[in-house]
Amino acid sequence: MRLKAIRKAKGISQLKLAMDLNMNQNTISRYETGEREPGLAELIQIANYFHVSLDYLLEQTDNPERNL
Amino acid sequence: MRLKAIRKAKGISQLKLAMDLNMNQNTISRYETGEREPGLAELIQIANYFHVSLDYLLEQTDNPERNL
DNA sequence: TATAAATATCCCAATACGGTATATTTCGGG
DNA sequence: CCCGAAATATACCGTATTGGGATATTTATA
């Protein structure tokens, strides 16, 4: 999860992000420390919030040959 | 999850996929029916197996303006 | 250095997960 | 058509993982 870096790049706090996404601050913290994993719904919410792709968020080097 | 469609396009069975990924056949079935959600590790395994992006696998319309 | 903001951790009940086993559906050959 | 086999879905169950409230710790600022 590249969450922490992305969030900081946007200069927003865990708390604000959490509130915007109707989550708990500690949940965000746990995602960032890797103590917990987000479900797919949360993952997508986060990606959409920051306008980043899931591959980017999950640090997948975008595979050049893909989709189908 | 666009898993079922992708898998069928490649013409492989749930069982073969499951064995290739060291998973159980019913686990694949559950992902496809939506009864269960894969964790991030499984998700990435599957995307890599089929050489598709996570966004594609999760039916995210690749956001044109993205990644930072 | 005191206070506030930001982030991490503890404990817990609830849920979601995967495995084995089994049922159901799909499909090709006779 | 019908039967058997392959493919897929469902039931049950023990366990692991999750998120929330509360709180501790760290970081920043005045």
Side-chain angles (χ1 to χ4, degrees):
Chain A
M1 266 281 243
R2 222 189 294 247
L3 176 53
K4 187 170 199 163
I6 296 173
R7 179 178 59 78
K8 291 211 160 167
K10 303 269 183 176
I12 109 175
S13 73
Q14 291 181 349
L15 184 57
K16 167 155 177 51
L17 175 59
M19 297 204 308
D20 288 348
L21 300 183
N22 294 313
M23 297 183 188
N24 208 296
Q25 173 269 324
N26 65 31
T27 299
I28 301 294
S29 170
R30 281 151 163 173
Y31 293 165
E32 292 190 354
T33 62
E35 192 199 330
R36 300 285 161 87
E37 268 192 4
L40 299 190
E42 290 77 13
L43 199 66
I44 290 170
Q45 267 195 104
I46 292 171
N48 287 342
Y49 182 89
F50 289 118
H51 305 296
V52 298
S53 70
L54 295 173
D55 297 88
Y56 182 75
L57 181 57
L58 294 186
E59 309 182 2
Q60 293 305 100
T61 71
D62 264 0
N63 195 331
E65 170 237 334
R66 57 207 245 276
N67 300 347
L68 254 186
Chain B
M1 266 282 242
R2 221 191 294 246
L3 175 54
K4 186 170 200 163
I6 296 173
R7 180 177 58 78
K8 291 212 161 168
K10 302 269 185 176
I12 111 175
S13 72
Q14 291 182 348
L15 184 57
K16 168 157 178 49
L17 175 60
M19 297 204 307
D20 288 348
L21 300 183
N22 294 313
M23 296 183 187
N24 209 298
Q25 173 269 323
N26 64 33
T27 298
I28 301 294
S29 170
R30 281 154 164 168
Y31 293 165
E32 292 190 355
T33 62
E35 192 199 329
R36 299 287 161 86
E37 270 192 2
L40 300 190
E42 289 78 13
L43 199 65
I44 289 170
Q45 266 196 105
I46 293 172
N48 287 342
Y49 183 89
F50 289 118
H51 305 295
V52 298
S53 70
L54 294 174
D55 297 270
Y56 182 75
L57 181 56
L58 293 187
E59 310 183 1
Q60 292 304 99
T61 71
D62 265 0
N63 198 331
E65 171 237 333
R66 55 206 245 278
N67 300 350
L68 258 182

